[in-house]
Amino acid sequence: MVKPSGQPEPDARTRILDAADAVFVRHGIDGARMQEIANQAGVNKALLHYYFRSKADLARAVWLRIASSFAPGVLQLLASDIPLEDKIDRVVEAYYGTLTKHPYLLVYVISEATRHPKLVEEIYTPERKLAARGMIATLRRQLEEKARVDNTAAISAEQFLVTLLGSCLFPFVARPMLTTVLGLGPDEFSKFIDKRKRDLPLFLKRALRQ
Amino acid sequence: MVKPSGQPEPDARTRILDAADAVFVRHGIDGARMQEIANQAGVNKALLHYYFRSKADLARAVWLRIASSFAPGVLQLLASDIPLEDKIDRVVEAYYGTLTKHPYLLVYVISEATRHPKLVEEIYTPERKLAARGMIATLRRQLEEKARVDNTAAISAEQFLVTLLGSCLFPFVARPMLTTVLGLGPDEFSKFIDKRKRDLPLFLKRALRQ
DNA sequence: GTCTATATGGCGATAGAC
DNA sequence: GTCTATCGCCATATAGAC
């Protein structure tokens, strides 16, 4: 996922992992071919088995790399003590960068997580479990505080989280459907996303105040 | 997807299509095995090829059936002239029924649509294209009317649509991640969805007024 | 139409030279 | 560590009897 920035060719193992990343994300684990990964890495198929015993092991390695780099940033952001309304901006901002560049990434994570739920638990370490609880607690505190000040009923932290994530992530999940239904070309989709980056925080904040 | 309701066994072709539906939705096209479909349909593997030439053709037939039955209802709902705020309730209501019963359906549609965008165009007939345009136009009109009355800036119809759909559909898209992060068991997830069915319309309506 | 048996090809995986 | 060559399986697909 993260491309090498320096000049020297990365070693074979790294090239394989990068290639596997690209191919698995593009085609899903079942749809990926070891041959294609080998080609893209510029090595022989046998070398994949030398470094990673089997396709399943390679897929697992890729999954760990991707899934680990996916959530923590946003989780930490949401768990922090910055004001609730700022969080909205920051979450929107944080996701839209990488997801624009990697159109298949989110669908890969979702489909593999859905079809092999064990993969999710594998990256859900005790520390992360704790962090997630803390994040929810912080969110709840902020929402209750807001409700107290505005003298309204507090919104459920879990519900708010899902609405926030859903609103942010859905365009990248349903991209082909949306571009077709809305009649958008590739660059029009970009414009749509740009506009959304500005509009969505306003919309959500409006729902929050009173 | 639609299970037979009457007593008599459906004919083999139908049974195959139903079985293929279940297996493709569960495992994705690449992950599905013809043998499993045959077993589930109670027929021999060869019969699948008798009715549908190849796996690809069978997958295509299933896709057409599912995708066709998926959008039209909601599309029609959104295009109708019922008040905007009522639409929110109805959309939420409409999706949550089937998606609760078919946990893999949405992820299947999304992943296949993403990896094979041609499949999307195949179900996007001229009539549906027209209907989609009309739906957006109606939505825009309603949002502008609302803005005029409230004396505020109108929200983009496209953006509103995506927010509405995203908020509704995301829990079913990200279910395994959410249950893990929020620490929900299967029946707690149901409760979460029930609560969401009540809360989400309120939240969205609040963002709309003023 | 539905079955049994078989062909065909592709893919993951291994052996072994260098 | 990296390659070439090859194995063995398994999934799709077909032939042909009933």
Side-chain angles (χ1 to χ4, degrees):
Chain A
M1 218 184 84
V2 179
K3 283 286 165 297
S5 53
Q7 282 293 33
E9 272 277 277
D11 60 352
R13 205 193 120 92
T14 306
R15 293 207 317 276
I16 289 171
L17 214 46
D18 286 337
D21 192 307
V23 174
F24 280 130
V25 166
R26 175 65 235 264
H27 298 291
I29 295 177
D30 290 323
R33 297 302 123 190
M34 297 293 267
Q35 184 61 60
E36 189 181 348
I37 295 173
N39 293 344
Q40 193 155 324
V43 300
N44 192 278
K45 219 173 43 168
L47 209 60
L48 309 194
H49 289 89
Y50 173 77
Y51 283 110
F52 309 86
R53 263 182 48 81
S54 64
K55 179 183 179 181
D57 282 6
L58 179 53
R60 195 171 159 278
V62 167
W63 168 262
L64 292 178
R65 227 176 51 146
I66 289 182
S68 298
S69 78
F70 199 70
V74 172
L75 202 146
Q76 201 179 346
L77 182 63
L78 287 171
S80 73
D81 262 325
I82 63 174
L84 192 58
E85 308 214 333
D86 293 352
K87 284 184 181 177
I88 296 175
D89 297 298
R90 304 277 288 273
V91 168
V92 172
E93 189 70 37
Y95 272 132
Y96 282 21
T98 48
L99 290 181
T100 303
K101 279 181 208 131
H102 301 97
Y104 296 95
L105 185 59
L106 189 56
V107 172
Y108 164 78
V109 172
I110 283 167
S111 58
E112 297 306 337
T114 302
R115 308 216 249 250
H116 313 287
K118 283 191 175 176
L119 288 176
V120 178
E121 309 211 354
E122 219 164 334
I123 56 166
Y124 202 56
T125 60
E127 306 93 66
R128 288 197 184 133
K129 208 170 293 193
L130 220 64
R133 283 198 178 283
M135 182 266 285
I136 296 284
T138 303
L139 231 46
R140 178 173 300 119
R141 194 165 41 71
Q142 290 185 309
L143 284 163
E144 279 171 358
E145 173 65 16
K146 187 157 192 53
R148 207 180 52 72
V149 170
D150 298 350
N151 195 30
T152 55
I155 295 171
S156 152
E158 287 87 353
Q159 298 291 344
F160 176 72
L161 178 68
V162 171
T163 303
L164 173 59
L165 292 179
S167 305
C168 282
L169 299 181
F170 189 69
F172 300 98
V173 169
R175 177 173 178 163
M177 267 97 72
L178 289 177
T179 51
T180 307
V181 169
L182 300 180
L184 303 177
D187 52 330
E188 288 170 313
F189 181 77
S190 296
K191 275 191 209 156
F192 176 83
I193 292 295
D194 283 343
K195 181 168 167 53
R196 189 164 183 80
K197 212 153 69 176
R198 297 192 304 274
D199 290 4
L200 182 58
L202 295 176
F203 183 85
L204 292 177
K205 287 176 194 170
R206 219 183 313 174
L208 276 185
R209 50 173 151 275
Q210 164 217 13
Chain B
M1 218 184 85
V2 179
K3 282 285 165 296
S5 53
Q7 283 291 32
E9 271 277 279
D11 60 352
R13 205 192 119 91
T14 307
R15 292 206 317 277
I16 290 171
L17 215 47
D18 287 338
D21 192 307
V23 174
F24 280 129
V25 166
R26 176 64 236 262
H27 298 290
I29 295 177
D30 290 323
R33 298 299 112 174
M34 297 292 267
Q35 184 62 60
E36 189 181 349
I37 296 173
N39 292 344
Q40 194 156 324
V43 299
N44 192 278
K45 225 175 29 169
L47 210 59
L48 309 195
H49 289 90
Y50 173 77
Y51 283 110
F52 309 87
R53 262 182 50 79
S54 64
K55 180 183 178 180
D57 283 7
L58 179 53
R60 196 171 158 278
V62 167
W63 168 262
L64 292 178
R65 226 175 53 145
I66 289 181
S68 298
S69 79
F70 199 69
V74 173
L75 201 146
Q76 199 179 347
L77 182 63
L78 288 171
S80 74
D81 263 325
I82 63 174
L84 193 56
E85 309 215 331
D86 292 353
K87 283 184 181 178
I88 296 175
D89 297 298
R90 303 276 289 272
V91 168
V92 173
E93 190 69 37
Y95 273 131
Y96 282 22
T98 48
L99 290 181
T100 302
K101 278 180 208 131
H102 301 98
Y104 297 94
L105 185 60
L106 190 56
V107 172
Y108 164 79
V109 172
I110 282 167
S111 58
E112 298 305 338
T114 302
R115 307 215 249 251
H116 314 286
K118 284 192 175 177
L119 288 176
V120 177
E121 309 212 353
E122 221 163 334
I123 56 166
Y124 201 55
T125 59
E127 306 91 68
R128 286 196 185 133
K129 208 170 293 192
L130 220 64
R133 284 197 178 283
M135 182 266 285
I136 296 285
T138 302
L139 231 48
R140 179 173 299 120
R141 192 163 43 70
Q142 289 185 309
L143 285 163
E144 280 171 357
E145 173 64 17
K146 189 159 191 50
R148 206 180 52 73
V149 170
D150 298 349
N151 195 30
T152 55
I155 295 171
S156 152
E158 287 87 353
Q159 298 291 344
F160 176 72
L161 178 67
V162 171
T163 304
L164 173 58
L165 292 179
S167 306
C168 283
L169 299 181
F170 189 70
F172 300 99
V173 170
R175 176 172 178 164
M177 268 97 72
L178 289 178
T179 51
T180 307
V181 169
L182 300 180
L184 303 176
D187 51 331
E188 287 170 313
F189 182 77
S190 298
K191 274 191 209 156
F192 176 83
I193 292 293
D194 283 342
K195 181 168 169 50
R196 189 162 182 79
K197 213 152 69 175
R198 295 192 304 273
D199 290 3
L200 182 59
L202 295 175
F203 183 85
L204 292 176
K205 287 176 194 169
R206 219 183 312 174
L208 276 185
R209 53 171 148 276
Q210 168 218 15

